[in-house]
Amino acid sequence: MFAGKIRYTLATMTHFVLRRLLLSIPILFGITLITFAIVHLTPGGFTAVQMEMNPTVSPDSIARLRELYGLDRPWPEQYAHWVGRLAQLDFGRSFVDQRPVLDKIADRLPATLLLSGLSMLAIFLLAIPLGVFSAMHPNTRTDHSITIITFIGYSIPTFWLALLCMLFFGVVLNWLPISGLRSVNHEFLGPMGKLWDYTSHLILPVFISAFGGVASISRYTRGNMLEVVRQDYIRTALAKGLPPQRVYYVHALRNAMLPILTILGLSLPGLIGGSFIFETIFAWPGMGRLAYESALSFDYPTIMGIAVIGAILTLLGNLLADLLYAWADPRIRL
Amino acid sequence: MKRIALFTVCLSLLFPIACARKTAQDSVPDLSKNYPSAYGDTLVQGTIADPAILNPVLASDSASHEVTGLVFNGLLRYDKDLNLEGELAERWDVSADGKVITFHLRKNITFHDGQPLTAQDVQFTLETYLNPNVKTAYRSNYTSIAKSQALDDYTFRVWYKEPFSPALQSLAGMAILPKHLLGGKDINTADDFNQHPIGSGPYIFKSWKRTESVTLEANPNYFEGRPCIQRLVYRVIPDMSVQFLEMQNGALDTMTLTPNQFNREGSQKAFLNRFNKYRYSSPQYTYLGFNLKNPIFQDVRVRKAMALAINRQALVDSVLEGLGTIGTGPYTPTSWAYPADAKPLPYDPEAAKQLLKEAGFTYSPAGKLMKDGKPFTFTILTNQGNLNREQTATIIQSQLKAIGMDVQIRIIAWTSLLSEFINKRKFDALIMGWSLGVDPDLYDIWHSTKIGEFEFNVVSYANPKVDQLLIEGRKTFDPKKRIAIYRQVHQLIAADLPYVFLYVPDSLVAMHRRVLNIKPEKAGIGYNFIKWFVPKEFQKYPEQVQ
């Protein structure tokens, strides 16, 4: 009987996932159509950015280039063409450097994932204990201090904090490199040297990006925790003599963590999205800069490639959040 | 309020420490001594943008051209005084009618893969530019060529439909590609070559970490001798203030400075102990251009009044922090067409008012400039993201207000400004700039036929005398005659004032002091790059010399 129930759950789960995936297709279609329309209706265009008003590039050359890129045709026709190629998984080549769009994205993904993965890890490792601690000692001086410090982190403009830390740790103390992913003499270093080279370049960006993210997660944790400890079953557990540590950190925390799972799922697109300002300051070769630079240079194939991948990850992230939630909380299954 | 207070606390905590500690002191050569030239060391240069594509035919961004400029050679180049000299061509002759140009190539030149460079490669490169399927922005530089041919391995000849002296500049700028690597391929998608270029230039392409750095290495077989500096690394750091921190940290050896960095942080002793600063005039200028189709600007007295009322020295002093010169006309001081005696109009708002009264304007009791009962008002457009131009617009607005003009400013994103306003000629006045080539041919910017959409005579300037001189200048090869022609062009346009020529900014560069033999000339500092060196005892990256 028990096995039958699991099979039943699995079947409904599969059904649920399939239905969601199928539903995603029209949504994805809509997203790309709207994105395509917006970028093509924006005044200007690829050739305007570097070639127009450049006396070494004549109008004939520009007209010829527009023809070669298909920009002289109406945008719905260009969209149909783009969808046709996408159906064969061809994202096209970037206007700016003639490289396949997927190569360009693949270049940037590792650095972005490394940084956002580590900073996400740092955020959770810092924020959850802080949130629990605050909830255990609500409205004490420590609680207020934690609140103030995390909110300072949330409010400080990242670029400003980054410049200040670069000045202090990079120029004044000369302990850490200032920006970039690795040093210029990276390939001349030994294996340990390379590892330290990467690590030292990661310290400032991970710390600074985590500093800004701790506030929200620790507030969520604190709020959930406070709500859960007021529940009857916690009182029961305490009343029957379980040690409070066990009650709070095992029984209460597990339930308080449920909404955090949703946040984790929803942050999936953010993991690959990167942040333009942050990456610019740290000269970090990430996705945020790629997206921003291709938008500025009207590099339609790259913009669309990033939009498609972003949309797919957002949809998958939502699905994952739902699944995680269902897995962790039996009440919402079915 | 609390937040601001906290910032201040943080700042005041950090800054005393910042000032108290000293940064690591690099050892630098004593400039009063003579050091023997030496090979080796690495120069790390900061750049704000990653190159897009390392193929000079396909690239349209300056970061790419900066790298390919060292990897490839042209037939000719400009020397330190901006005169043409042979590069791959040891000499060249122009036929008496100016229609046939013959290049005699050096015989000892090889590509980085060891293959010889011959006239076949030159012919191939030209065909590549002219191929309608190649995604190049420069095709029309070569469309006035009737025919071209490699007469033998070391002689290359082009026939022009008309005598065309700027041809030498466009042919000089043609970076010669290896036929044996690209022949028969679609160059647009030749990813191997476009990301790993092989040329004949002083530096060999070594590696490219996308959006991080490009590394070049000295070509030991370069026909002018092995460059002294062994490795050159371009590091992409998009933020100028971070670049400056990287300089101070020791991770960059050279960067372009902003005027503010040049004057303030760059003037501190700790900085000057480690870096030299270089400043030289650059071939570009910023202007206020009037739409001459608009009736309110058609009277030259009105334009002259505005030129008199704008204090251009004040613009140089505030916008460029003094690091530039006042524009006097369509050529900038480093051009050989620039008349040595060119003088800008003085700043004289009283004369401006007088001139406007002569032109039939009156002043309302409130001090507003009026004509036929209507106030004189117009809008200046400029592009977003260029702080210098935005500041310039604001200063001009207040200076023209002093002579009663009501000026509005609109700041518009670059691409919208081009497609919606400039290309459609829907504007009153513009603040824009031009970066000029070395050849003084300005036909595209000033000839009265170049007023179509996308063409460069955006203000619709027309002066038959200038038209005639511009055509004559294109047909004349003798530099002396050309100088005479273009100096007249300069004076005529300066007198017609289709633009108020505002200012010519200086190029500002900081360079680590261990690098010697840098001599700023008209051409800037890069012309003798292969002769720059670091004395052996001061080399910073000695372990990386092969």
Side-chain angles (χ1 to χ4, degrees):
Chain A
M1 194 184 109
F2 198 60
K5 190 169 180 186
I6 288 177
R7 211 162 30 238
Y8 172 71
T9 322
L10 260 181
T12 40
M13 276 295 231
T14 323
H15 179 75
F16 170 75
V17 170
L18 273 179
R19 208 169 58 105
R20 285 284 299 265
L21 285 178
L22 280 175
L23 268 176
S24 304
I25 293 173
I27 297 176
L28 193 62
F29 213 65
I31 293 174
T32 61
L33 182 67
I34 293 171
T35 315
F36 201 88
I38 290 174
V39 294
H40 280 261
L41 295 176
T42 311
F46 164 62
T47 51
V49 181
Q50 269 159 353
M51 299 175 193
E52 289 173 26
M53 292 298 278
N54 175 349
T56 55
V57 180
S58 79
D60 311 350
S61 307
I62 290 174
R64 180 66 203 149
L65 274 174
R66 293 184 63 83
E67 239 172 85
L68 284 174
Y69 287 115
L71 294 171
D72 52 340
R73 277 164 280 176
W75 75 262
E77 191 186 326
Q78 293 184 43
Y79 180 68
H81 191 67
W82 179 81
V83 171
R85 273 184 317 180
L86 190 68
Q88 304 157 39
L89 287 181
D90 177 8
F91 282 76
R93 278 173 181 263
S94 157
F95 291 170
V96 174
D97 55 16
Q98 317 294 338
R99 296 177 70 219
V101 167
L102 283 183
D103 285 12
K104 286 185 78 147
I105 295 175
D107 271 349
R108 306 287 189 114
L109 260 183
T112 304
L113 284 176
L114 181 68
L115 178 56
S116 47
L118 283 176
S119 86
M120 178 81 74
L121 193 71
I123 289 173
F124 278 84
L125 285 182
L126 268 171
I128 292 174
L130 280 179
V132 172
F133 188 86
S134 289
M136 292 301 88
H137 311 270
N139 301 322
T140 59
R141 193 169 289 175
T142 336
D143 178 28
H144 290 312
S145 317
I146 291 175
T147 309
I148 289 171
I149 291 169
T150 54
F151 271 82
I152 289 175
Y154 185 72
S155 326
I156 281 187
T158 323
F159 73 92
W160 181 81
L161 182 66
L163 284 174
L164 218 61
C165 289
M166 285 172 176
L167 181 66
F168 186 64
F169 294 104
V171 178
V172 178
L173 299 177
N174 221 339
W175 286 351
L176 293 173
I178 288 179
S179 70
L181 177 62
R182 49 198 156 183
S183 311
V184 286
N185 59 348
H186 183 80
E187 56 255 55
F188 298 97
L189 301 170
M192 285 318 284
K194 280 188 173 144
L195 187 68
W196 169 243
D197 193 42
Y198 279 128
T199 315
S200 60
H201 278 86
L202 274 164
I203 292 174
L204 281 183
V206 168
F207 166 73
I208 289 168
S209 63
F211 192 47
V214 164
S216 57
I217 304 283
S218 67
R219 298 307 288 178
Y220 277 126
T221 313
R222 180 180 181 274
N224 290 333
M225 203 60 187
L226 280 176
E227 204 171 296
V228 169
V229 294
R230 271 190 241 115
Q231 303 282 328
D232 290 344
Y233 69 88
I234 297 294
R235 196 179 307 132
T236 313
L238 287 173
K240 77 175 182 183
L242 269 182
Q245 299 296 329
R246 191 169 161 74
V247 174
Y248 292 129
Y249 292 107
V250 178
H251 298 274
L253 185 59
R254 183 183 288 174
N255 287 300
M257 282 297 94
L258 286 176
I260 304 293
L261 285 177
T262 317
I263 296 172
L264 193 65
L266 294 179
S267 59
L268 188 66
L271 276 181
I272 74 134
S275 145
F276 160 68
I277 295 176
F278 199 76
E279 288 170 7
T280 302
I281 288 287
F282 279 102
W284 198 261
M287 290 289 289
R289 263 164 77 198
L290 181 67
Y292 183 76
E293 284 158 11
S294 36
L296 278 194
S297 51
F298 287 78
D299 185 358
Y300 300 140
T302 313
I303 299 174
M304 291 310 297
I306 295 171
V308 168
I309 290 176
I312 291 176
L313 278 171
T314 311
L315 294 173
L316 281 180
N318 287 344
L319 180 60
L320 187 73
D322 288 353
L323 289 177
L324 276 177
Y325 210 86
W327 166 76
D329 187 350
R331 286 169 302 181
I332 70 143
R333 259 178 239 163
L334 271 183
Chain B
M1 204 51 225
K2 228 176 197 173
R3 229 165 70 189
I4 296 168
L6 272 166
F7 284 171
T8 325
V9 170
C10 287
L11 262 178
S12 50
L13 278 176
L14 280 171
F15 270 93
I17 317 175
C19 302
R21 288 191 67 122
K22 284 220 172 87
T23 43
Q25 197 71 46
D26 301 357
S27 62
V28 289
D30 175 358
L31 288 178
S32 58
K33 283 193 209 155
N34 258 333
Y35 292 91
S37 168
Y39 294 112
D41 210 357
T42 300
L43 188 73
V44 187
Q45 175 166 349
T47 164
I48 54 168
D50 194 35
I53 182 164
L54 294 180
N55 183 327
V57 177
L58 302 174
S60 55
D61 59 309
S62 54
S64 302
H65 284 293
E66 178 155 358
V67 176
T68 56
L70 288 171
V71 174
F72 293 92
N73 288 123
L75 291 170
L76 311 176
R77 68 176 166 210
Y78 290 100
D79 67 8
K80 63 183 169 60
D81 299 317
L82 299 175
N83 298 313
L84 275 173
E85 67 175 12
E87 189 168 40
L88 292 177
E90 55 187 356
R91 63 198 165 82
W92 70 99
D93 9 86
V94 181
S95 68
D97 66 357
K99 289 190 189 171
V100 186
I101 307 175
T102 313
F103 295 93
H104 303 277
L105 267 57
R106 291 175 206 272
K107 297 196 172 68
N108 57 344
I109 295 173
T110 54
F111 283 107
H112 299 152
D113 61 357
Q115 296 290 317
L117 184 151
T118 68
Q120 305 295 338
D121 297 299
V122 182
Q123 172 70 9
F124 169 75
T125 305
L126 187 57
E127 284 168 5
T128 306
Y129 274 106
L130 287 168
N131 179 344
N133 291 319
V134 169
K135 291 173 177 168
T136 179
Y138 310 108
R139 181 164 177 266
S140 49
N141 286 352
Y142 306 101
T143 42
S144 43
I145 292 173
K147 193 175 103 164
S148 64
Q149 198 188 339
L151 299 182
D152 61 48
D153 272 0
Y154 299 102
T155 317
F156 175 72
R157 183 169 286 173
V158 281
W159 288 263
Y160 274 81
K161 296 168 192 160
E162 297 282 324
F164 186 61
S165 53
L168 287 173
Q169 171 169 278
S170 45
L171 290 169
M174 191 169 77
I176 304 305
L177 304 174
K179 184 182 182 182
H180 65 277
L181 294 175
L182 287 167
K185 284 189 187 156
D186 176 8
I187 191 168
N188 297 326
T189 55
D191 294 345
D192 287 347
F193 187 87
N194 297 342
Q195 292 170 51
H196 195 292
I198 292 173
S200 54
Y203 279 83
I204 299 175
F205 173 85
K206 194 76 188 167
S207 69
W208 186 3
K209 296 191 194 95
R210 284 275 173 180
T211 58
E212 286 181 65
S213 61
V214 176
T215 305
L216 306 179
E217 227 156 63
N219 176 0
N221 306 315
Y222 190 53
F223 71 93
E224 290 186 306
R226 173 181 159 191
C228 298
I229 290 179
Q230 176 62 20
R231 294 204 322 160
L232 176 62
V233 178
Y234 292 94
R235 260 196 77 190
V236 184
I237 299 166
D239 188 275
M240 290 294 280
S241 32
V242 177
Q243 276 195 19
F244 198 78
L245 290 174
E246 289 276 16
M247 285 282 278
Q248 292 170 300
N249 175 263
L252 282 185
D253 296 319
T254 176
M255 69 178 278
T256 310
L257 299 177
T258 63
N260 197 304
Q261 288 167 341
F262 190 93
N263 281 340
R264 290 182 202 190
E265 297 100 321
S267 292
Q268 288 170 1
K269 203 159 179 295
F271 187 82
L272 292 171
N273 282 340
R274 297 161 68 204
F275 299 99
N276 285 323
K277 294 188 294 183
Y278 297 93
R279 171 183 169 192
Y280 48 91
S281 189
S282 61
Q284 50 181 304
Y285 65 85
T286 298
Y287 64 84
L288 170 69
F290 305 110
N291 187 349
L292 302 176
K293 293 265 187 245
N294 185 333
I296 66 167
F297 297 123
Q298 278 171 357
D299 188 339
V300 69
R301 288 174 295 186
V302 174
R303 306 199 295 269
K304 191 170 177 188
M306 284 194 255
L308 288 167
I310 295 171
N311 186 347
R312 286 177 282 175
Q313 191 56 48
L315 285 176
V316 170
D317 290 343
S318 58
V319 177
L320 301 178
E321 300 202 16
L323 302 168
T325 46
I326 297 178
T328 64
Y331 295 104
T332 61
T334 53
S335 168
W336 47 259
Y338 187 79
D341 55 350
K343 279 203 181 65
L345 284 174
Y347 168 57
D348 191 345
E350 285 314 309
K353 282 185 185 171
Q354 197 55 43
L355 207 56
L356 288 167
K357 281 177 193 155
E358 280 170 32
F361 285 89
T362 53
Y363 281 95
S364 74
K368 283 203 168 182
L369 190 68
M370 311 285 284
K371 190 169 192 180
D372 308 329
K374 277 187 288 184
F376 187 92
T377 173
F378 69 95
T379 304
I380 295 177
L381 302 186
T382 192
N383 63 303
Q384 200 174 40
N386 188 324
L387 201 59
N388 283 357
R389 291 184 191 165
E390 293 176 18
Q391 291 170 344
T392 303
T394 315
I395 296 169
I396 288 179
Q397 181 185 42
S398 71
Q399 291 179 344
L400 292 183
K401 196 175 180 198
I403 59 163
M405 291 183 177
D406 179 20
V407 180
Q408 312 293 318
I409 299 170
R410 269 188 81 184
I411 292 164
I412 301 167
W414 172 245
T415 51
S416 308
L417 179 65
L418 280 182
S419 55
E420 303 299 307
F421 298 92
I422 297 184
N423 288 339
K424 294 180 179 158
R425 307 293 188 255
K426 286 201 289 196
F427 64 90
D428 299 334
L430 292 170
I431 292 177
M432 295 288 278
W434 287 116
S435 278
L436 302 174
V438 178
D439 192 274
D441 175 41
L442 291 180
Y443 184 89
D444 287 330
I445 299 179
W446 297 109
H447 195 271
S448 61
T449 57
K450 289 289 176 182
I451 52 172
E453 196 179 359
F454 301 120
E455 291 190 308
F456 303 132
N457 187 353
V458 291
V459 295
S460 308
Y461 175 69
N463 178 336
K465 179 75 185 148
V466 170
D467 282 0
Q468 186 210 326
L469 286 168
L470 286 172
I471 290 172
E472 210 180 310
R474 291 186 128 186
K475 292 186 173 167
T476 311
F477 279 84
D478 180 0
K480 281 200 184 104
K481 286 186 191 154
R482 293 189 84 200
I483 287 181
I485 292 169
Y486 289 118
R487 290 194 172 167
Q488 274 193 69
V489 169
H490 187 93
Q491 308 288 19
L492 285 168
I493 294 176
D496 282 341
L497 286 158
Y499 298 167
V500 178
F501 296 92
L502 297 171
Y503 49 77
V504 179
D506 288 337
S507 292
L508 310 169
V509 174
M511 176 80 61
H512 196 277
R513 280 181 61 177
R514 72 182 194 277
V515 185
L516 302 183
N517 205 21
I518 302 173
K519 295 169 185 142
E521 297 281 352
K522 268 188 165 184
I525 57 172
Y527 65 93
N528 70 337
F529 177 62
I530 65 169
K531 304 244 165 59
W532 296 3
F533 69 92
V534 181
K536 267 278 175 277
E537 58 269 44
F538 297 106
Q539 296 194 352
K540 188 175 171 188
Y541 300 90
E543 80 279 13
Q544 283 143 30
V545 181
Q546 288 164 330

